[in-house]
Protein backbone atom coordinates (compact mmCIF):
# COMPACT_ATOMS: atom_id res chain seq x y z
CA UNK A 1 0.00 0.00 0.00
CA UNK A 2 2.72 2.41 0.96
CA UNK A 3 4.66 1.92 -2.29
CA UNK A 4 1.64 1.79 -4.57
CA UNK A 5 -0.02 4.84 -3.07
CA UNK A 6 3.18 6.72 -2.36
CA UNK A 7 2.16 6.95 1.32
CA UNK A 8 4.86 6.75 4.00
CA UNK A 9 5.03 3.55 6.09
CA UNK A 10 2.36 3.50 8.81
CA UNK A 11 4.85 3.63 11.67
CA UNK A 12 6.17 7.03 10.56
CA UNK A 13 4.48 9.76 12.61
CA UNK A 14 2.35 11.96 10.41
CA UNK A 15 0.52 15.13 11.40
CA UNK A 16 -3.18 15.68 11.24
CA UNK A 17 -4.16 18.02 8.46
CA UNK A 18 -6.08 19.85 11.22
CA UNK A 19 -2.77 20.63 13.00
CA UNK A 20 -2.99 24.20 11.75
CA UNK A 21 0.40 25.38 13.00
CA UNK A 22 2.27 22.47 11.39
CA UNK A 23 0.39 22.75 8.11
CA UNK A 24 0.80 26.52 8.01
CA UNK A 25 4.54 26.38 8.63
CA UNK A 26 5.08 23.63 6.03
CA UNK A 27 3.17 25.70 3.46
CA UNK A 28 5.10 28.84 4.33
CA UNK A 29 8.47 27.08 4.06
CA UNK A 30 7.46 25.74 0.66
CA UNK A 31 6.27 29.18 -0.48
CA UNK A 32 2.64 28.04 -0.79
CA UNK A 33 -0.09 30.47 0.21
CA UNK A 34 -1.82 29.56 3.50
CA UNK A 35 -5.13 30.80 2.06
CA UNK A 36 -5.60 27.20 0.85
CA UNK A 37 -5.82 25.79 4.40
CA UNK A 38 -9.62 26.23 4.81
CA UNK A 39 -10.12 24.59 1.40
CA UNK A 40 -8.17 21.54 2.58
CA UNK A 41 -10.13 21.44 5.85
CA UNK A 42 -13.47 21.70 4.01
CA UNK A 43 -12.51 18.75 1.84
CA UNK A 44 -11.25 16.72 4.82
CA UNK A 45 -14.42 17.51 6.75
CA UNK A 46 -16.67 16.36 3.92
CA UNK A 47 -14.53 13.30 3.15
CA UNK A 48 -12.93 12.15 6.43
CA UNK A 49 -11.19 9.16 4.84
CA UNK A 50 -10.12 10.91 1.66
CA UNK A 51 -6.73 10.94 0.07
CA UNK A 52 -5.29 14.43 0.40
CA UNK A 53 -4.19 14.18 -3.22
CA UNK A 54 -7.88 14.42 -4.13
CA UNK A 55 -8.30 17.91 -2.66
CA UNK A 56 -9.12 20.00 -5.73
CA UNK A 57 -7.55 23.25 -6.89
CA UNK A 58 -4.34 23.34 -4.86
CA UNK A 59 -0.99 24.54 -6.21
CA UNK A 60 0.93 21.51 -7.49
CA UNK A 61 3.69 21.85 -4.85
CA UNK A 62 1.09 21.24 -2.12
CA UNK A 63 0.30 17.65 -3.12
CA UNK A 64 3.66 15.91 -2.41
CA UNK A 65 3.94 17.86 0.83
CA UNK A 66 0.48 16.79 1.99
CA UNK A 67 1.07 13.21 0.90
CA UNK A 68 4.38 12.84 2.75
CA UNK A 69 3.66 14.68 5.98
CA UNK A 70 -0.08 14.79 6.67
CA UNK A 71 -3.19 12.64 6.97
CA UNK A 72 -6.84 13.68 6.81
CA UNK A 73 -7.42 12.03 10.17
CA UNK A 74 -4.80 10.63 12.55
CA UNK A 75 -7.34 9.34 15.10
CA UNK A 76 -10.23 6.90 14.77
CA UNK A 77 -13.41 6.17 16.70
CA UNK A 78 -12.92 2.82 18.43
CA UNK A 79 -16.40 2.75 19.93
CA UNK A 80 -19.47 4.93 20.39
CA UNK A 81 -21.83 4.14 23.23
CA UNK A 82 -25.26 5.76 23.58
CA UNK A 83 -26.96 6.45 26.91
CA UNK A 84 -30.28 4.67 27.44
CA UNK A 85 -32.24 7.93 27.01
CA UNK A 86 -30.40 8.78 23.77
CA UNK A 87 -29.25 12.19 24.99
CA UNK A 88 -25.59 11.30 25.26
CA UNK A 89 -23.03 9.47 23.15
CA UNK A 90 -19.55 8.71 24.39
CA UNK A 91 -16.85 8.30 21.75
CA UNK A 92 -13.72 6.34 22.55
CA UNK A 93 -11.08 7.77 20.24
CA UNK A 94 -7.80 6.04 19.39
CA UNK A 95 -4.90 8.42 18.82
CA UNK A 96 -1.99 7.83 16.48
CA UNK A 97 0.35 6.98 19.39
CA UNK A 98 -2.00 4.19 20.51
CA UNK A 99 -3.48 6.11 23.47
CA UNK A 100 -7.22 6.48 23.90
CA UNK A 101 -9.24 9.51 24.92
CA UNK A 102 -12.97 10.12 25.26
CA UNK A 103 -15.29 12.78 23.87
CA UNK A 104 -18.96 13.11 24.76
CA UNK A 105 -21.86 14.40 22.65
CA UNK A 106 -24.82 15.84 24.59
CA UNK A 107 -28.02 16.57 22.65
CA UNK A 108 -30.55 19.20 23.59
CA UNK A 109 -33.57 20.53 21.76
CA UNK A 110 -33.11 24.27 22.03
CA UNK A 111 -36.70 25.07 21.08
CA UNK A 112 -38.08 23.02 23.94
CA UNK A 113 -35.28 23.80 26.35
CA UNK A 114 -34.68 20.11 26.84
CA UNK A 115 -33.97 16.93 24.93
CA UNK A 116 -37.21 15.31 23.76
CA UNK A 117 -35.77 12.21 22.08
CA UNK A 118 -37.04 13.09 18.58
CA UNK A 119 -34.30 14.29 16.24
CA UNK A 120 -35.54 16.81 13.68
CA UNK A 121 -33.42 18.38 10.94
CA UNK A 122 -31.86 21.48 12.42
CA UNK A 123 -33.84 21.05 15.63
CA UNK A 124 -31.17 19.49 17.75
CA UNK A 125 -28.21 21.57 18.76
CA UNK A 126 -25.59 19.40 20.36
CA UNK A 127 -22.72 20.16 22.67
CA UNK A 128 -19.44 18.33 22.37
CA UNK A 129 -17.29 17.81 25.43
CA UNK A 130 -13.68 17.42 24.24
CA UNK A 131 -10.53 16.09 25.87
CA UNK A 132 -7.30 18.07 25.80
CA UNK A 133 -4.91 15.58 27.42
CA UNK A 134 -4.51 11.86 27.92
CA UNK A 135 -5.05 11.74 31.69
CA UNK A 136 -4.35 14.77 33.88
CA UNK A 137 -1.70 15.67 36.41
CA UNK A 138 -3.85 17.86 38.66
CA UNK A 139 -5.13 14.91 40.71
CA UNK A 140 -8.48 16.31 41.91
CA UNK A 141 -9.69 13.81 44.47
CA UNK A 142 -13.20 13.43 43.04
CA UNK A 143 -12.27 12.98 39.36
CA UNK A 144 -11.73 9.69 37.51
CA UNK A 145 -9.39 11.28 34.96
CA UNK A 146 -7.22 12.50 37.83
CA UNK A 147 -6.62 8.90 38.90
CA UNK A 148 -4.92 8.17 35.54
CA UNK A 149 -2.11 10.66 36.11
CA UNK A 150 -0.73 12.61 33.16
CA UNK A 151 0.13 10.59 30.05
CA UNK A 152 0.46 13.09 27.19
CA UNK A 153 -0.85 16.26 25.59
CA UNK A 154 -3.13 16.14 22.58
CA UNK A 155 -2.02 18.02 19.47
CA UNK A 156 -4.31 20.75 18.19
CA UNK A 157 -5.23 18.45 15.29
CA UNK A 158 -6.26 15.67 17.68
CA UNK A 159 -8.52 18.14 19.50
CA UNK A 160 -10.12 19.32 16.23
CA UNK A 161 -10.51 15.72 15.05
CA UNK A 162 -12.83 15.04 18.01
CA UNK A 163 -15.16 17.62 16.48
CA UNK A 164 -14.81 16.08 13.02
CA UNK A 165 -15.78 12.66 14.43
CA UNK A 166 -18.71 14.14 16.36
CA UNK A 167 -20.02 16.07 13.35
CA UNK A 168 -20.62 12.72 11.65
CA UNK A 169 -23.14 11.94 14.38
CA UNK A 170 -24.61 15.25 15.51
CA UNK A 171 -25.16 18.87 14.71
CA UNK A 172 -22.51 20.23 17.09
CA UNK A 173 -22.96 23.90 17.93
CA UNK A 174 -21.19 24.17 21.27
CA UNK A 175 -17.86 22.88 22.51
CA UNK A 176 -16.87 22.58 26.13
CA UNK A 177 -13.31 21.69 27.16
CA UNK A 178 -14.57 19.58 30.05
CA UNK A 179 -13.36 16.15 28.99
CA UNK A 180 -10.12 14.50 30.00
CA UNK A 181 -7.30 16.79 31.03
CA UNK A 182 -6.62 20.35 32.09
CA UNK A 183 -6.89 22.46 28.92
CA UNK A 184 -4.75 25.30 30.25
CA UNK A 185 -1.89 22.83 30.87
CA UNK A 186 -1.92 22.24 27.10
CA UNK A 187 -2.36 25.89 26.32
CA UNK A 188 -0.88 26.37 22.84
CA UNK A 189 -2.62 23.31 21.33
CA UNK A 190 -5.96 24.39 22.83
CA UNK A 191 -5.58 27.96 21.53
CA UNK A 192 -4.70 26.70 18.07
CA UNK A 193 -7.61 24.21 18.02
CA UNK A 194 -10.06 26.96 19.05
CA UNK A 195 -8.76 29.17 16.25
CA UNK A 196 -9.37 26.38 13.72
CA UNK A 197 -12.91 25.53 14.86
CA UNK A 198 -13.94 29.19 14.97
CA UNK A 199 -12.62 29.80 11.47
CA UNK A 200 -13.62 28.53 8.03
CA UNK A 201 -15.04 25.96 7.38
CA UNK A 202 -16.24 25.08 10.93
CA UNK A 203 -17.36 28.62 11.84
CA UNK A 204 -18.37 27.88 15.42
CA UNK A 205 -18.97 31.03 17.39
CA UNK A 206 -16.33 31.67 20.10
CA UNK A 207 -19.26 32.53 22.35
CA UNK A 208 -20.31 28.89 22.09
CA UNK A 209 -16.96 27.57 23.26
CA UNK A 210 -16.20 27.16 26.95
CA UNK A 211 -12.85 26.32 28.45
CA UNK A 212 -13.00 24.88 31.92
CA UNK A 213 -9.95 25.15 34.15
CA UNK A 214 -8.92 24.17 37.62
CA UNK A 215 -7.48 27.72 37.83
CA UNK A 216 -4.02 27.95 36.23
CA UNK A 217 -3.48 31.61 37.05
CA UNK A 218 -0.71 32.51 34.59
CA UNK A 219 -2.71 30.98 31.72
CA UNK A 220 -5.91 32.81 32.76
CA UNK A 221 -3.90 36.02 32.53
CA UNK A 222 -3.13 35.26 28.86
CA UNK A 223 -6.54 33.82 28.01
CA UNK A 224 -8.22 37.03 26.90
CA UNK A 225 -5.49 38.08 24.50
CA UNK A 226 -5.42 34.68 22.83
CA UNK A 227 -9.07 33.64 23.03
CA UNK A 228 -11.31 36.72 22.90
CA UNK A 229 -15.04 36.00 23.41
CA UNK A 230 -14.42 32.38 24.44
CA UNK A 231 -16.12 31.56 27.76
CA UNK A 232 -14.04 30.89 30.83
CA UNK A 233 -15.31 28.38 33.38
CA UNK A 234 -13.43 27.97 36.64
CA UNK A 235 -13.67 24.85 38.76
CA UNK A 236 -13.74 26.57 42.15
CA UNK A 237 -15.46 23.84 44.16
CA UNK A 238 -14.83 25.48 47.54
CA UNK A 239 -15.03 29.03 48.91
CA UNK A 240 -11.90 28.79 51.07
CA UNK A 241 -8.30 27.69 50.62
CA UNK A 242 -8.42 24.92 53.21
CA UNK A 243 -11.41 23.04 51.76
CA UNK A 244 -10.12 23.60 48.24
CA UNK A 245 -6.71 22.11 49.06
CA UNK A 246 -8.41 19.13 50.66
CA UNK A 247 -10.17 18.16 47.42
CA UNK A 248 -7.94 19.77 44.77
CA UNK A 249 -4.17 19.48 45.28
CA UNK A 250 -3.61 22.10 42.53
CA UNK A 251 -5.08 24.71 44.87
CA UNK A 252 -1.77 24.74 46.77
CA UNK A 253 0.02 26.06 43.68
CA UNK A 254 -2.84 28.39 42.73
CA UNK A 255 -4.24 29.83 45.97
CA UNK A 256 -7.86 30.91 45.90
CA UNK A 257 -7.10 34.55 46.82
CA UNK A 258 -4.72 34.96 43.85
CA UNK A 259 -7.14 33.07 41.59
CA UNK A 260 -10.04 35.38 42.48
CA UNK A 261 -7.78 38.43 41.94
CA UNK A 262 -6.87 37.20 38.47
CA UNK A 263 -10.56 36.68 37.67
CA UNK A 264 -11.27 40.29 38.67
CA UNK A 265 -8.54 41.54 36.34
CA UNK A 266 -9.88 39.31 33.56
CA UNK A 267 -13.39 40.62 34.03
CA UNK A 268 -12.37 44.27 34.31
CA UNK A 269 -10.62 43.90 30.96
CA UNK A 270 -13.33 42.10 28.99
CA UNK A 271 -16.55 42.47 30.95
CA UNK A 272 -17.48 38.87 30.15
CA UNK A 273 -19.30 36.86 32.77
CA UNK A 274 -17.38 33.96 34.27
CA UNK A 275 -18.82 30.51 34.90
CA UNK A 276 -18.01 29.10 38.31
CA UNK A 277 -18.24 25.34 38.63
CA UNK A 278 -18.97 23.96 42.07
CA UNK A 279 -19.14 20.22 42.65
CA UNK A 280 -21.50 19.26 45.48
CA UNK A 281 -19.83 16.76 47.81
CA UNK A 282 -21.86 15.53 50.74
CA UNK A 283 -20.56 16.92 54.03
CA UNK A 284 -17.45 18.44 52.40
CA UNK A 285 -18.37 21.74 50.74
CA UNK A 286 -22.18 21.74 50.66
CA UNK A 287 -23.22 23.28 53.99
CA UNK A 288 -25.08 26.57 54.45
CA UNK A 289 -21.91 28.24 55.70
CA UNK A 290 -20.14 27.29 52.44
CA UNK A 291 -22.95 28.85 50.41
CA UNK A 292 -22.62 32.12 52.37
CA UNK A 293 -18.81 32.09 52.07
CA UNK A 294 -19.13 31.45 48.34
CA UNK A 295 -21.64 34.28 47.96
CA UNK A 296 -19.21 36.62 49.72
CA UNK A 297 -16.06 35.71 47.78
CA UNK A 298 -17.91 35.98 44.48
CA UNK A 299 -19.46 39.33 45.34
CA UNK A 300 -16.97 41.45 43.29
CA UNK A 301 -17.48 39.32 40.18
CA UNK A 302 -20.21 38.92 37.56
CA UNK A 303 -20.63 35.15 37.54
CA UNK A 304 -22.98 32.29 36.82
CA UNK A 305 -22.55 29.52 39.36
CA UNK A 306 -23.10 26.01 38.09
CA UNK A 307 -23.69 23.51 40.91
CA UNK A 308 -22.49 20.09 39.73
CA UNK A 309 -24.00 17.00 41.32
CA UNK A 310 -21.12 14.62 42.08
CA UNK A 311 -20.97 11.77 39.59
CA UNK A 312 -19.80 8.57 41.22
CA UNK A 313 -16.45 7.31 40.00
CA UNK A 314 -14.79 4.07 41.00
CA UNK A 315 -11.37 3.71 42.56
CA UNK A 316 -8.91 6.03 44.27
CA UNK A 317 -9.94 8.66 46.77
CA UNK A 318 -12.92 9.64 44.62
CA UNK A 319 -14.88 6.63 45.86
CA UNK A 320 -14.85 8.15 49.39
CA UNK A 321 -17.21 10.91 48.26
CA UNK A 322 -20.98 10.90 48.11
CA UNK A 323 -23.32 13.15 46.16
CA UNK A 324 -25.10 15.86 48.11
CA UNK A 325 -28.84 15.08 48.49
CA UNK A 326 -30.85 17.08 45.96
CA UNK A 327 -32.76 18.99 48.69
CA UNK A 328 -29.44 20.29 50.05
CA UNK A 329 -28.35 21.27 46.53
CA UNK A 330 -31.58 23.27 46.16
CA UNK A 331 -31.08 24.98 49.53
CA UNK A 332 -27.52 25.92 48.52
CA UNK A 333 -28.85 27.33 45.26
CA UNK A 334 -31.54 29.27 47.10
CA UNK A 335 -28.97 31.01 49.33
CA UNK A 336 -26.79 32.05 46.40
CA UNK A 337 -29.82 33.31 44.47
CA UNK A 338 -31.87 34.78 47.26
CA UNK A 339 -29.22 36.31 49.54
CA UNK A 340 -26.44 37.13 47.04
CA UNK A 341 -28.44 37.57 43.83
CA UNK A 342 -26.11 35.25 41.95
CA UNK A 343 -27.47 33.41 38.93
CA UNK A 344 -27.11 29.78 39.99
CA UNK A 345 -27.97 26.71 37.97
CA UNK A 346 -27.79 23.02 38.76
CA UNK A 347 -26.02 21.03 36.05
CA UNK A 348 -28.24 18.54 34.31
CA UNK A 349 -26.81 15.06 34.72
CA UNK A 350 -26.34 13.37 31.36
CA UNK A 351 -24.67 10.12 30.39
CA UNK A 352 -24.10 8.73 33.88
CA UNK A 353 -25.16 5.25 32.75
CA UNK A 354 -22.35 5.17 30.17
CA UNK A 355 -19.80 6.83 32.48
CA UNK A 356 -19.90 9.83 30.19
CA UNK A 357 -20.78 12.46 32.77
CA UNK A 358 -18.41 15.10 34.17
CA UNK A 359 -15.36 13.60 35.80
CA UNK A 360 -16.26 10.04 34.83
CA UNK A 361 -13.98 9.94 31.81
CA UNK A 362 -11.25 7.40 32.29
CA UNK A 363 -10.18 5.03 29.58
CA UNK A 364 -10.99 1.48 30.57
CA UNK A 365 -10.75 -0.47 27.33
CA UNK A 366 -12.19 -3.89 28.18
CA UNK A 367 -15.51 -2.29 29.10
CA UNK A 368 -16.09 -0.78 25.66
CA UNK A 369 -18.20 -2.44 23.01
CA UNK A 370 -17.43 -2.10 19.30
CA UNK A 371 -18.91 0.68 17.27
CA UNK A 372 -22.10 -0.37 15.46
CA UNK A 373 -22.10 0.51 11.79
CA UNK A 374 -25.37 2.39 12.04
CA UNK A 375 -23.86 4.70 14.64
CA UNK A 376 -21.18 5.66 12.15
CA UNK A 377 -23.48 6.71 9.33
CA UNK A 378 -23.01 10.44 8.88
CA UNK A 379 -25.96 12.72 8.41
CA UNK A 380 -24.89 14.75 5.40
CA UNK A 381 -27.06 17.71 6.43
CA UNK A 382 -25.30 17.81 9.78
CA UNK A 383 -21.94 18.13 8.09
CA UNK A 384 -22.96 21.33 6.31
CA UNK A 385 -22.52 23.70 9.17
C1 LIG B 1 -13.23 16.78 34.02
S1 LIG B 1 -12.98 18.49 34.25
C2 LIG B 1 -12.04 18.96 32.82
C3 LIG B 1 -11.73 20.44 32.77
C4 LIG B 1 -10.71 20.97 33.77
N1 LIG B 1 -9.67 20.07 34.00
C5 LIG B 1 -11.40 21.34 35.09
O1 LIG B 1 -11.14 20.68 36.08
O2 LIG B 1 -12.15 22.32 35.08
C6 LIG B 1 -14.60 19.20 33.90
C7 LIG B 1 -15.46 19.42 35.12
O3 LIG B 1 -15.85 18.16 35.66
C8 LIG B 1 -15.81 18.27 37.08
N2 LIG B 1 -15.71 16.95 37.69
C9 LIG B 1 -14.62 16.20 37.89
N3 LIG B 1 -14.95 15.05 38.51
C10 LIG B 1 -16.28 15.07 38.71
C11 LIG B 1 -17.23 14.16 39.27
N4 LIG B 1 -16.85 12.98 39.76
N5 LIG B 1 -18.52 14.53 39.31
C12 LIG B 1 -18.93 15.72 38.80
N6 LIG B 1 -18.09 16.61 38.24
C13 LIG B 1 -16.79 16.29 38.20
C14 LIG B 1 -14.56 19.10 37.25
O4 LIG B 1 -14.41 19.59 38.54
C15 LIG B 1 -14.76 20.17 36.23
O5 LIG B 1 -15.57 21.20 36.74
S1 LIG C 1 -11.18 17.76 37.48
FE1 LIG C 1 -10.05 18.59 35.74
S2 LIG C 1 -8.11 19.26 36.62
FE2 LIG C 1 -9.03 17.93 38.13
S3 LIG C 1 -8.12 15.93 37.73
FE3 LIG C 1 -10.06 16.02 36.61
S4 LIG C 1 -9.52 16.72 34.57
FE4 LIG C 1 -7.79 17.17 35.91
Amino acid sequence: MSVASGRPPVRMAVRSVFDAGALRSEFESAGISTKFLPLIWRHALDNPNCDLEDVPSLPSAAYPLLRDKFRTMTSSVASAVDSADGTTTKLLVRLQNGSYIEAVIMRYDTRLGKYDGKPRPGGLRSTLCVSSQVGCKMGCKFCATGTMGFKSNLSSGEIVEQLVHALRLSNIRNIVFMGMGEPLNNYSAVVEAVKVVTGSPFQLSPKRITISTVGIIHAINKFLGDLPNVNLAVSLHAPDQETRCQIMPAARAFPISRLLDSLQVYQKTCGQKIFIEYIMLDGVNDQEQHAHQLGNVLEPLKVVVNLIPFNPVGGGTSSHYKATPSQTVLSFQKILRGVYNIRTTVRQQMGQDISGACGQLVVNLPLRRPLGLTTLLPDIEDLRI
Side-chain angles (χ1 to χ4, degrees), residues 177-319:
F177 282 77
M178 294 186 188
M180 291 164 67
E182 167 49 52
L184 298 190
N185 278 347
N186 186 14
Y187 190 79
S188 51
V190 166
V191 169
E192 192 168 275
V194 169
K195 286 187 174 154
V196 172
V197 302
T198 51
S200 173
F202 295 95
Q203 303 287 20
L204 290 187
S205 163
K207 292 186 180 141
R208 291 178 169 273
I209 296 179
T210 302
I211 294 184
S212 170
T213 175
V214 78
I216 313 287
I217 295 171
H218 53 270
I220 291 176
N221 295 341
K222 285 171 65 190
F223 190 95
L224 247 194
D226 292 325
L227 296 169
N229 296 319
V230 168
N231 298 302
L232 176 64
V234 177
S235 294
L236 200 63
H237 302 325
D240 63 281
Q241 178 68 359
E242 196 188 334
T243 316
R244 211 164 177 258
C245 285
Q246 194 189 320
I247 55 179
M248 306 168 77
R252 283 194 277 277
F254 305 107
I256 189 166
S257 53
R258 281 185 46 218
L259 174 59
L260 291 167
D261 287 348
S262 75
L263 296 183
Q264 278 199 55
V265 173
Y266 166 90
Q267 195 154 67
K268 271 203 184 101
T269 319
C270 68
Q272 264 174 238
K273 66 177 179 284
I274 298 167
F275 294 88
I276 299 290
E277 293 161 286
Y278 196 98
I279 192 167
M280 298 295 286
L281 300 172
D282 189 30
V284 176
N285 63 353
D286 62 349
Q287 307 300 298
E288 273 190 24
Q289 97 238 17
H290 296 117
H292 287 290
Q293 270 177 290
L294 185 63
N296 280 314
V297 298
L298 294 179
E299 200 270 319
L301 292 165
K302 194 169 80 181
V303 295
V304 176
V305 173
N306 195 208
L307 301 176
I308 313 178
F310 170 64
N311 294 309
V313 293
T317 46
S318 45
S319 49

Side-chain angles (χ1 to χ4, degrees), residues 136 138-140 142-143 146 181-182 214:
C136 180
M138 306 317 271
C140 301
F142 43 78
C143 173
E182 167 49 52
V214 78

Side-chain angles (χ1 to χ4, degrees), residues 324-381:
T324 298
S326 43
Q327 260 319 315
T328 313
V329 177
L330 293 178
S331 309
F332 201 96
Q333 180 186 36
K334 208 166 152 191
I335 294 173
L336 290 175
R337 279 182 171 172
V339 182
Y340 299 93
N341 198 22
I342 295 177
R343 196 174 145 214
T344 308
T345 56
V346 179
R347 185 171 293 177
Q348 195 186 338
Q349 287 175 291
M350 295 174 85
Q352 260 198 357
D353 59 333
I354 53 166
S355 293
C358 276
Q360 290 187 314
L361 302 187
V362 62
V363 172
N364 190 0
L365 292 174
L367 296 177
R368 306 292 179 262
R369 64 176 165 75
L371 179 65
L373 275 180
T374 46
T375 329
L376 250 187
L377 287 175
D379 179 337
I380 298 301
E381 283 310 308

Side-chain angles (χ1 to χ4, degrees), residues 162-182:
Q162 292 172 65
L163 173 63
V164 178
H165 291 306
L167 283 169
R168 302 182 79 190
L169 302 173
S170 269
N171 189 10
I172 305 292
R173 289 301 167 94
N174 307 288
I175 295 185
V176 293
F177 282 77
M178 294 186 188
M180 291 164 67
E182 167 49 52

